[in-house]
Amino acid sequence: MRALWAMLCFLALPLWADEPLSGWAVYSTDKSYDQLVADTKAAVKENGLIVVTQAGPTKAAAARGITIPGNLVIGVFNNDFAVRVLETSVDAMIEAPIRFYVTENDDGSATLSYKSPSFVFAPYVYEGGEPLTDIAAELDTKFQTVAESAVK
């Protein structure tokens, strides 16, 4: 019976492969990678957040003579949210900044993805309670607005 279940799950795997990971929001665009990076950073600023970190292997690989698709993680937060999160849960601050992920597709278009702040902060709700849940919901709205603005 287990073998049959395993085979059915294996056969169904391709059906699930195109589904976003749990807790993720994924926005496909026709924009180029460079344009989506620029538009994401602009949308972050327009929505009262700050680009705190940026990291990706693309430029470092190019410096080594290796060409890989564009790939950048953009960490986003602001001090107001940091102070408010700390008031609810010191442990939750390990998740800040919360990240957007810009990836270049094979056809030259780009995709913007992120884990929703509610998903990111969920493990800390036992400590932060309703105030942390409210902050995460507020960030969910901001992240959605940033993403929708960046990909339009």
Side-chain angles (χ1 to χ4, degrees), residues 70-92:
N71 186 294
L72 185 67
V73 176
I74 304 170
V76 173
F77 223 59
N78 72 22
N79 188 257
D80 177 60
F81 283 111
V83 170
R84 290 170 56 203
V85 167
L86 282 168
E87 290 172 348
T88 70
S89 169
V90 171
D91 293 338

mmCIF file of all heavy atoms in Angstrom, residues 70-92:
data_model
loop_
_atom_site.group_PDB
_atom_site.id
_atom_site.type_symbol
_atom_site.label_atom_id
_atom_site.label_comp_id
_atom_site.label_asym_id
_atom_site.label_seq_id
_atom_site.Cartn_x
_atom_site.Cartn_y
_atom_site.Cartn_z
ATOM 1 N N GLY A 70 20.218 36.274 -13.921
ATOM 2 C CA GLY A 70 20.117 37.261 -12.853
ATOM 3 C C GLY A 70 19.398 36.694 -11.639
ATOM 4 O O GLY A 70 18.418 35.972 -11.756
ATOM 5 N N ASN A 71 19.934 37.022 -10.464
ATOM 6 C CA ASN A 71 19.428 36.458 -9.225
ATOM 7 C C ASN A 71 19.805 37.407 -8.099
ATOM 8 O O ASN A 71 20.977 37.581 -7.812
ATOM 9 C CB ASN A 71 20.083 35.078 -9.037
ATOM 10 C CG ASN A 71 19.549 34.323 -7.869
ATOM 11 O OD1 ASN A 71 19.739 34.725 -6.733
ATOM 12 N ND2 ASN A 71 18.903 33.211 -8.145
ATOM 13 N N LEU A 72 18.813 38.062 -7.484
ATOM 14 C CA LEU A 72 19.105 39.029 -6.431
ATOM 15 C C LEU A 72 18.070 38.941 -5.320
ATOM 16 O O LEU A 72 16.869 38.909 -5.572
ATOM 17 C CB LEU A 72 19.105 40.456 -7.011
ATOM 18 C CG LEU A 72 19.506 41.567 -6.051
ATOM 19 C CD1 LEU A 72 20.984 41.452 -5.659
ATOM 20 C CD2 LEU A 72 19.235 42.933 -6.681
ATOM 21 N N VAL A 73 18.564 38.917 -4.097
ATOM 22 C CA VAL A 73 17.724 38.973 -2.909
ATOM 23 C C VAL A 73 17.823 40.398 -2.370
ATOM 24 O O VAL A 73 18.927 40.902 -2.157
ATOM 25 C CB VAL A 73 18.192 37.956 -1.851
ATOM 26 C CG1 VAL A 73 17.371 38.092 -0.576
ATOM 27 C CG2 VAL A 73 18.110 36.534 -2.399
ATOM 28 N N ILE A 74 16.672 41.040 -2.174
ATOM 29 C CA ILE A 74 16.619 42.415 -1.694
ATOM 30 C C ILE A 74 15.938 42.415 -0.327
ATOM 31 O O ILE A 74 14.734 42.147 -0.225
ATOM 32 C CB ILE A 74 15.840 43.314 -2.679
ATOM 33 C CG1 ILE A 74 16.456 43.242 -4.080
ATOM 34 C CG2 ILE A 74 15.798 44.751 -2.162
ATOM 35 C CD1 ILE A 74 15.614 43.912 -5.163
ATOM 36 N N GLY A 75 16.708 42.685 0.719
ATOM 37 C CA GLY A 75 16.172 42.732 2.077
ATOM 38 C C GLY A 75 15.544 44.088 2.353
ATOM 39 O O GLY A 75 16.166 45.125 2.131
ATOM 40 N N VAL A 76 14.310 44.085 2.856
ATOM 41 C CA VAL A 76 13.515 45.303 3.003
ATOM 42 C C VAL A 76 12.929 45.385 4.412
ATOM 43 O O VAL A 76 12.412 44.397 4.930
ATOM 44 C CB VAL A 76 12.371 45.286 1.956
ATOM 45 C CG1 VAL A 76 11.425 46.432 2.160
ATOM 46 C CG2 VAL A 76 12.929 45.271 0.551
ATOM 47 N N PHE A 77 12.998 46.568 4.996
ATOM 48 C CA PHE A 77 12.372 46.827 6.299
ATOM 49 C C PHE A 77 12.429 48.323 6.546
ATOM 50 O O PHE A 77 12.786 49.087 5.644
ATOM 51 C CB PHE A 77 13.111 46.059 7.406
ATOM 52 C CG PHE A 77 12.218 45.399 8.413
ATOM 53 C CD1 PHE A 77 11.289 44.467 8.035
ATOM 54 C CD2 PHE A 77 12.319 45.710 9.756
ATOM 55 C CE1 PHE A 77 10.462 43.849 8.965
ATOM 56 C CE2 PHE A 77 11.505 45.101 10.701
ATOM 57 C CZ PHE A 77 10.574 44.170 10.309
ATOM 58 N N ASN A 78 12.096 48.758 7.736
ATOM 59 C CA ASN A 78 12.379 50.127 8.172
ATOM 60 C C ASN A 78 12.432 50.137 9.690
ATOM 61 O O ASN A 78 12.024 49.180 10.352
ATOM 62 C CB ASN A 78 11.402 51.157 7.587
ATOM 63 C CG ASN A 78 10.009 51.109 8.166
ATOM 64 O OD1 ASN A 78 9.781 50.625 9.260
ATOM 65 N ND2 ASN A 78 9.045 51.620 7.415
ATOM 66 N N ASN A 79 12.930 51.233 10.256
ATOM 67 C CA ASN A 79 13.142 51.290 11.696
ATOM 68 C C ASN A 79 11.839 51.253 12.481
ATOM 69 O O ASN A 79 11.780 50.672 13.565
ATOM 70 C CB ASN A 79 13.972 52.526 12.064
ATOM 71 C CG ASN A 79 14.353 52.498 13.524
ATOM 72 O OD1 ASN A 79 13.756 53.200 14.336
ATOM 73 N ND2 ASN A 79 15.330 51.666 13.854
ATOM 74 N N ASP A 80 10.792 51.857 11.958
ATOM 75 C CA ASP A 80 9.505 51.821 12.647
ATOM 76 C C ASP A 80 9.050 50.386 12.858
ATOM 77 O O ASP A 80 8.671 50.004 13.968
ATOM 78 C CB ASP A 80 8.449 52.606 11.860
ATOM 79 C CG ASP A 80 7.085 52.523 12.520
ATOM 80 O OD1 ASP A 80 6.954 52.946 13.688
ATOM 81 O OD2 ASP A 80 6.134 52.011 11.874
ATOM 82 N N PHE A 81 9.110 49.584 11.804
ATOM 83 C CA PHE A 81 8.715 48.180 11.946
ATOM 84 C C PHE A 81 9.662 47.431 12.874
ATOM 85 O O PHE A 81 9.236 46.598 13.668
ATOM 86 C CB PHE A 81 8.624 47.494 10.584
ATOM 87 C CG PHE A 81 7.378 47.849 9.824
ATOM 88 C CD1 PHE A 81 7.447 48.624 8.680
ATOM 89 C CD2 PHE A 81 6.138 47.434 10.255
ATOM 90 C CE1 PHE A 81 6.300 48.968 7.979
ATOM 91 C CE2 PHE A 81 4.980 47.769 9.573
ATOM 92 C CZ PHE A 81 5.059 48.549 8.425
ATOM 93 N N ALA A 82 10.945 47.735 12.804
ATOM 94 C CA ALA A 82 11.917 47.060 13.669
ATOM 95 C C ALA A 82 11.599 47.298 15.142
ATOM 96 O O ALA A 82 11.560 46.348 15.944
ATOM 97 C CB ALA A 82 13.329 47.538 13.343
ATOM 98 N N VAL A 83 11.364 48.544 15.506
ATOM 99 C CA VAL A 83 11.049 48.875 16.897
ATOM 100 C C VAL A 83 9.759 48.196 17.328
ATOM 101 O O VAL A 83 9.677 47.608 18.423
ATOM 102 C CB VAL A 83 10.971 50.410 17.085
ATOM 103 C CG1 VAL A 83 10.398 50.784 18.453
ATOM 104 C CG2 VAL A 83 12.354 51.032 16.887
ATOM 105 N N ARG A 84 8.757 48.233 16.467
ATOM 106 C CA ARG A 84 7.466 47.630 16.807
ATOM 107 C C ARG A 84 7.570 46.112 16.952
ATOM 108 O O ARG A 84 6.971 45.523 17.868
ATOM 109 C CB ARG A 84 6.425 48.007 15.756
ATOM 110 C CG ARG A 84 6.060 49.493 15.834
ATOM 111 C CD ARG A 84 5.220 49.953 14.665
ATOM 112 N NE ARG A 84 4.008 49.167 14.521
ATOM 113 C CZ ARG A 84 3.334 49.061 13.379
ATOM 114 N NH1 ARG A 84 3.745 49.681 12.284
ATOM 115 N NH2 ARG A 84 2.251 48.328 13.317
ATOM 116 N N VAL A 85 8.330 45.459 16.068
ATOM 117 C CA VAL A 85 8.503 44.007 16.179
ATOM 118 C C VAL A 85 9.241 43.670 17.475
ATOM 119 O O VAL A 85 8.848 42.750 18.200
ATOM 120 C CB VAL A 85 9.241 43.433 14.950
ATOM 121 C CG1 VAL A 85 9.691 42.001 15.204
ATOM 122 C CG2 VAL A 85 8.347 43.502 13.721
ATOM 123 N N LEU A 86 10.287 44.416 17.782
ATOM 124 C CA LEU A 86 11.049 44.161 19.013
ATOM 125 C C LEU A 86 10.192 44.302 20.267
ATOM 126 O O LEU A 86 10.434 43.608 21.266
ATOM 127 C CB LEU A 86 12.255 45.094 19.098
ATOM 128 C CG LEU A 86 13.430 44.692 18.238
ATOM 129 C CD1 LEU A 86 14.453 45.822 18.171
ATOM 130 C CD2 LEU A 86 14.067 43.407 18.753
ATOM 131 N N GLU A 87 9.211 45.184 20.220
ATOM 132 C CA GLU A 87 8.310 45.333 21.367
ATOM 133 C C GLU A 87 7.468 44.089 21.595
ATOM 134 O O GLU A 87 6.968 43.865 22.688
ATOM 135 C CB GLU A 87 7.401 46.546 21.165
ATOM 136 C CG GLU A 87 8.131 47.872 21.270
ATOM 137 C CD GLU A 87 7.275 49.064 20.873
ATOM 138 O OE1 GLU A 87 6.173 48.877 20.284
ATOM 139 O OE2 GLU A 87 7.713 50.200 21.119
ATOM 140 N N THR A 88 7.307 43.272 20.547
ATOM 141 C CA THR A 88 6.472 42.075 20.672
ATOM 142 C C THR A 88 7.301 40.814 20.838
ATOM 143 O O THR A 88 6.905 39.903 21.556
ATOM 144 C CB THR A 88 5.564 41.893 19.441
ATOM 145 O OG1 THR A 88 6.344 41.543 18.313
ATOM 146 C CG2 THR A 88 4.755 43.143 19.167
ATOM 147 N N SER A 89 8.445 40.744 20.153
ATOM 148 C CA SER A 89 9.256 39.523 20.165
ATOM 149 C C SER A 89 10.683 39.835 19.734
ATOM 150 O O SER A 89 10.919 40.172 18.569
ATOM 151 C CB SER A 89 8.658 38.475 19.214
ATOM 152 O OG SER A 89 9.553 37.399 19.035
ATOM 153 N N VAL A 90 11.609 39.711 20.645
ATOM 154 C CA VAL A 90 13.021 39.911 20.305
ATOM 155 C C VAL A 90 13.462 38.844 19.303
ATOM 156 O O VAL A 90 14.178 39.137 18.343
ATOM 157 C CB VAL A 90 13.895 39.878 21.582
ATOM 158 C CG1 VAL A 90 15.371 39.853 21.235
ATOM 159 C CG2 VAL A 90 13.564 41.074 22.473
ATOM 160 N N ASP A 91 13.007 37.629 19.497
ATOM 161 C CA ASP A 91 13.398 36.535 18.605
ATOM 162 C C ASP A 91 12.954 36.766 17.162
ATOM 163 O O ASP A 91 13.651 36.382 16.220
ATOM 164 C CB ASP A 91 12.822 35.205 19.102
ATOM 165 C CG ASP A 91 13.427 34.766 20.423
ATOM 166 O OD1 ASP A 91 14.542 35.226 20.764
ATOM 167 O OD2 ASP A 91 12.775 33.963 21.120
ATOM 168 N N ALA A 92 11.814 37.398 16.955
ATOM 169 C CA ALA A 92 11.278 37.603 15.606
ATOM 170 C C ALA A 92 12.177 38.489 14.752
ATOM 171 O O ALA A 92 12.164 38.390 13.523
ATOM 172 C CB ALA A 92 9.878 38.203 15.683
#
